[in-house]
Amino acid sequence: MSTPGGRALAVFLCVCILLSCVSSLVASPAIYDLVLARQGIQHLKNAETDFKALSHNPLNADAIAQAHDELAAAYSDFSQVNATIGLYSGLLTISPHYHTMLEGARALLPIAIEASRAGMIGCDMLSLVSSRLKDPLDASSPGLTTADMAVINQDAAQVFAIVNTVIPRLDNLPPSVNTLDPRIGPALASFRKSLPQVQQELREAQVWLAAAPALLGIGQDTNYLVEVLDSSELRAGGGFIGNYGVIELRGGKVTMHLQDVTLLDQQGLHINDQFPPQGYEWLYRFSNANFYGFRESNLEADFPWVAQTAEQMYQLEAQNDQTAHLYTLTPGGPVPVQGVIAITPWVIQDAMKVTGGVYLPEFKTNVTWDTLVDDIHAAQLGPNKKSGLQYNPIAGSSERKLFSEDLFKHFFSKVKSLLSTDGSKLVSLFVHALYTKDVQVYLNDPNTEALLQKHHVDSTIDAPAKGDSLMIVDANVNAEKDNFFMTNLLQDQVTVDEQGNATHQMTLDFNFPQSDHTEKFDFGHLDINYWEWMRVYVPPGSTVVNDGWGIASTDTKFGRQVWAGAVGQLNYPGSLTVTLSWVVPNAAYKDAHGWHYTELLQRQAGLVRPVDMQVTLPTCASHITASVTQAGGGAAPVTSVDLPAASMPGSQVPDVQNPSKLAPTVDKLLAGITGTTPRFSHQTVTLNQVLTEDHTIAVNYTCG
């Protein structure tokens, strides 16, 4: 099915035309085969165009049907050529060169035929899924059944068998194929290099298929716990859990209802001695709260830890159903869940850019993406706010969250309408949000959770075996919405010595600027000082050189060393600076190719933090190369040979007035920022980047 193979067939059939003078008896078949081969190649190109459309919207029924038709036509054309190609073998013996080309073409044709057949079967699978899940939010449609999964598994087995047959054929093609087209050799070399990845992806596909019934509720009940985070009141896991819900999947069809988390936590009031787990007593150190519930359970930035804790708290509180009128989300108590999903307001803002504004007839107001957070806070915190303990049976939530419930109801209605026509933008947005951690997913099934981890969408606190790493986690502990109005900037000056040790000099600037917007939507809470509990995760063995912060505790978690302490007494308007210096031993390592320094910078969910980072290498460093890789992929390599300082522009820190509020509008944040391309000045590599997802900066150099 590959393009080089198609070109090879065209070359061979051109040879047939040249040889047509040998015998008029074969002229017509040769020309006909040439036409068929060219048709087959064009059909494959057309199918490639259709598959590009499917990459944006995998359930596009028209594109699936068109791709299937093109592949079927290619299959037919190549099969006919393959059936007649043997007619020329006797004639071509008079020319060893053309005979060699014939052998190559005969080796490639069966591969093109089988690849076309595999593509057709794949389209059949997509067509079945599309017919069942074109509108996953429409609970009235049939959804996938166990019978459907049997068909899908059978088709998948055929595709796997074909691919497993084609791979060794491609890997063992005779040298004669290289005589057909000079591009075939490099193409085959590229394939052989990617072969392990292809085989790994096939194994992963089998894991997903095996888990599909449990993940999608096919032939069984599947539920996911949902956390709707308020990132303006930042917590380690991305924000205060203001609402929660349960997603029900039946045959891949989705139904969901959200509810004020207060109604769930009311059950916890009847549970004796519900306090933060040991080691997390800091949660209420700076507030008057004295109750630990589901809403506060995201105490860490490691989402698997958060999700497991949330499941425990949900089961504990929901089963204590002593006030049934307050708990109606899942009547009769908690339901078993197969995982947890958390979303920040920023991904909802991004989605509203696609769906458009949401009109709420109940409140006679229109909510747009840029007023979303303000409108929600005005309803919940403004002068007309209502009780979070008063249950509204119509909305299925509290009186205080009526606005939020109506907003989500009408928003999901717009999402449903868009998915029924063209949901490609929403699908792309959701996938991107997995990398930015604006959507976090945990699956109880260890095999599928391992796949999330492999593709860096598991939102864990990573512990690289080699190199350097840094993750800073902020937790607003005075229960105010201040993070929506604040900015903070991370500056990290890293100096690597000749032994590979890295000394960090970190400065964190917190700014609570004066603005009319802040004073309008903070609802009288500006007289309360801002406090947060900050944790810094670094490699084990790191030692503090200078503490300008006030470290209160040192611990080891998630394979990292953790320093923790308070950051506070920040008045409005005002600013605060925290400094910290430490050494990471053996952060850079040497091998046969030279020295290598890598640093993993991890983003905390819910917080967009501008970063100004400089890595200064030893004076002996030369032949420097550097790249930055985002969690979603895409490295930007740059090479420098000791560039003079005057040849590069100076480092500029982005002027971002409100990164929390503008988190979804990354295009504005990135304006004028260098991006993911590091810059050089002598032995210094500089990176200015808004940390919207995890980044790895890699610097390679030689010394001596």
Side-chain angles (χ1 to χ4, degrees):
M1 183 173 172
S2 65
T3 302
R7 295 192 188 103
L9 291 173
V11 170
F12 160 69
L13 292 165
C14 286
V15 172
C16 291
I17 291 180
L18 294 174
L19 294 178
S20 63
C21 59
V22 177
S23 172
S24 60
L25 294 177
V26 299
S28 294
I31 294 174
Y32 180 62
D33 281 352
L34 174 64
V35 172
L36 285 178
R38 285 177 173 172
Q39 286 182 179
I41 294 170
Q42 185 58 51
H43 286 309
L44 290 182
K45 290 181 178 179
N46 294 343
E48 181 182 9
T49 300
D50 294 327
F51 280 124
K52 287 181 179 178
L54 286 173
S55 68
H56 298 292
N57 186 7
L59 301 183
N60 186 327
D62 291 337
I64 295 170
Q66 291 170 10
H68 184 279
D69 291 345
E70 297 291 352
L71 289 166
Y75 178 84
S76 175
D77 291 340
F78 291 139
S79 296
Q80 291 183 61
V81 175
N82 190 51
T84 59
I85 196 172
L87 296 175
Y88 314 115
S89 57
L91 295 172
L92 291 179
T93 55
I94 62 176
S95 171
H97 173 66
Y98 291 142
H99 181 71
T100 300
M101 295 180 70
L102 175 64
E103 286 184 341
R106 293 175 80 173
L108 283 174
L109 267 170
I111 294 175
I113 292 169
E114 286 299 285
S116 299
R117 187 164 74 92
M120 292 163 57
I121 297 172
C123 286
D124 289 337
M125 296 167 60
L126 281 176
S127 180
L128 176 58
V129 174
S130 174
S131 66
R132 300 291 193 265
L133 299 182
K134 184 177 181 180
D135 184 2
L137 297 181
D138 183 1
S140 64
S141 56
L144 287 167
T145 65
T146 52
D148 293 333
M149 281 306 302
V151 173
I152 291 172
N153 283 323
Q154 183 178 3
D155 287 345
Q158 292 186 65
V159 172
F160 294 148
I162 292 172
V163 173
N164 288 331
T165 300
V166 167
I167 284 176
R169 286 185 182 179
L170 277 172
D171 201 32
N172 296 286
L173 282 170
S176 56
V177 299
N178 296 314
T179 64
L180 295 169
D181 191 303
R183 289 163 290 193
I184 290 180
L188 290 175
S190 177
F191 167 76
R192 292 185 179 99
K193 184 178 179 180
S194 63
L195 181 59
Q197 180 180 352
V198 172
Q199 293 172 319
Q200 177 62 33
E201 289 175 353
L202 285 175
R203 289 191 289 268
E204 290 181 10
Q206 290 173 314
V207 173
W208 285 115
L209 279 173
L215 293 177
L216 300 177
I218 302 172
Q220 56 189 291
D221 293 340
T222 295
N223 305 287
Y224 294 95
L225 193 60
V226 179
E227 300 176 345
V228 182
L229 308 179
D230 183 355
S231 300
S232 65
E233 187 179 330
L234 191 63
R235 296 290 192 274
F240 170 75
I241 305 172
N243 291 278
Y244 83 106
V246 174
I247 290 180
E248 299 177 358
L249 281 117
R250 303 294 180 268
K253 311 301 292 186
V254 180
T255 58
M256 180 174 67
H257 177 68
L258 298 177
Q259 188 179 76
D260 188 346
V261 72
T262 303
L263 299 179
L264 174 63
D265 279 344
Q266 273 298 105
Q267 312 308 313
L269 289 176
H270 303 281
I271 304 172
N272 294 327
D273 300 325
Q274 279 302 295
F275 299 105
Q278 185 176 2
Y280 299 93
E281 294 82 3
W282 49 262
L283 179 62
Y284 298 131
R285 180 176 174 181
F286 307 103
S287 72
N288 295 322
N290 57 8
F291 166 70
Y292 171 70
F294 179 86
R295 72 186 81 184
E296 307 284 7
S297 59
N298 55 352
L299 295 168
E300 289 285 358
D302 185 88
F303 193 66
W305 186 97
V306 168
Q308 293 169 20
T309 304
E311 289 188 27
Q312 295 170 5
M313 292 299 298
Y314 163 69
Q315 295 291 334
L316 181 66
E317 294 188 359
Q319 72 183 358
N320 193 58
D321 197 5
Q322 297 184 22
T323 52
H325 66 285
L326 289 176
Y327 185 77
T328 60
L329 187 57
T330 52
V335 296
V337 296
Q338 281 68 47
V340 182
I341 302 170
I343 59 175
T344 71
W346 317 136
V347 72
I348 299 174
Q349 281 190 335
D350 270 351
M352 289 181 69
K353 294 177 188 178
V354 178
T355 64
V358 178
Y359 181 71
L360 276 60
E362 300 89 343
F363 293 86
K364 297 181 180 180
T365 187
N366 188 62
V367 180
T368 59
W369 72 266
D370 55 341
T371 67
L372 173 69
V373 176
D374 287 337
D375 290 341
I376 292 176
H377 286 171
Q380 296 178 8
L381 304 173
N384 297 320
K385 67 178 181 181
K386 298 183 179 180
S387 171
L389 299 178
Q390 185 177 350
Y391 178 70
N392 185 301
I394 298 177
S397 190
S398 69
E399 290 286 349
R400 185 175 182 229
K401 298 290 181 74
L402 282 183
F403 184 89
S404 299
E405 297 304 315
D406 286 334
L407 172 61
F408 284 121
K409 178 181 68 176
H410 293 293
F411 168 69
F412 283 122
S413 178
K414 298 199 74 168
V415 169
K416 175 182 176 182
S417 177
L418 186 61
L419 286 176
S420 65
T421 54
D422 180 12
S424 57
K425 291 183 179 179
L426 288 175
V427 172
S428 298
L429 185 154
F430 177 83
V431 172
H432 178 67
L434 290 172
Y435 291 104
T436 64
K437 305 181 186 177
D438 288 309
V439 173
Q440 300 177 88
V441 176
Y442 173 76
L443 302 174
N444 292 355
D445 175 66
N447 295 323
T448 49
E449 176 64 19
L451 293 183
L452 296 182
Q453 183 177 14
K454 178 181 181 297
H455 292 284
H456 308 292
V457 290
D458 58 336
S459 293
T460 56
I461 296 178
D462 289 334
K466 289 184 177 180
D468 205 347
S469 67
L470 175 63
M471 186 174 191
I472 301 172
V473 177
D474 299 343
N476 178 339
V477 292
N478 62 341
E480 303 296 336
K481 309 299 181 183
D482 296 338
N483 299 100
F484 188 59
F485 310 106
M486 293 174 57
T487 67
N488 62 69
L489 169 68
L490 166 64
Q491 294 175 292
D492 190 19
Q493 314 299 314
V494 184
T495 303
V496 182
D497 64 22
E498 294 187 9
Q499 289 73 43
N501 305 312
T503 300
H504 290 252
Q505 292 181 329
M506 182 191 77
T507 301
L508 270 172
D509 293 317
F510 297 86
N511 187 28
F512 203 165
Q514 188 279 331
S515 74
D516 294 339
H517 175 259
T518 301
E519 293 171 9
K520 179 180 179 180
F521 289 99
D522 200 72
F523 302 105
H525 297 159
L526 292 175
D527 58 334
I528 302 175
N529 292 342
Y530 174 79
W531 283 92
E532 75 167 45
W533 189 258
M534 187 175 76
R535 282 162 289 178
V536 177
Y537 295 80
V538 295
S542 300
T543 56
V544 174
V545 176
N546 185 16
D547 180 9
W549 160 29
I551 296 174
S553 65
T554 300
D555 200 352
T556 300
K557 285 188 176 181
F558 310 110
R560 301 289 86 180
Q561 186 161 303
V562 189
W563 297 314
V567 175
Q569 291 187 331
L570 176 56
N571 300 318
Y572 171 85
S575 61
L576 180 68
T577 298
V578 172
T579 62
L580 183 66
S581 179
W582 70 93
V583 175
V584 180
N586 305 313
Y589 65 93
K590 185 180 181 181
D591 61 17
H593 303 288
W595 283 89
H596 311 279
Y597 173 79
T598 61
E599 181 172 5
L600 171 64
L601 294 173
Q602 288 202 269
R603 182 207 176 190
Q604 177 185 358
L607 176 63
V608 178
R609 193 193 307 268
V611 173
D612 177 17
M613 178 181 176
Q614 290 185 349
V615 178
T616 301
L617 302 174
T619 55
C620 61
S622 62
H623 302 93
I624 305 168
T625 63
S627 65
V628 174
T629 305
Q630 296 180 341
V638 176
T639 303
S640 169
V641 183
D642 298 326
L643 297 177
S647 68
M648 299 302 295
S651 171
Q652 295 184 4
V653 176
D655 181 14
V656 182
Q657 290 298 315
N658 199 336
S660 294
K661 182 180 179 183
L662 297 180
T665 56
V666 176
D667 52 335
K668 294 183 180 179
L669 288 175
L670 296 179
I673 298 175
T674 303
T676 57
T677 302
R679 297 176 295 166
F680 298 88
S681 177
H682 291 300
Q683 278 77 30
T684 299
V685 180
T686 300
L687 176 69
N688 297 125
Q689 175 69 27
V690 176
L691 200 63
T692 57
E693 55 186 276
D694 293 352
H695 285 63
T696 299
I697 182 168
V699 184
N700 306 303
Y701 59 97
T702 60
C703 244

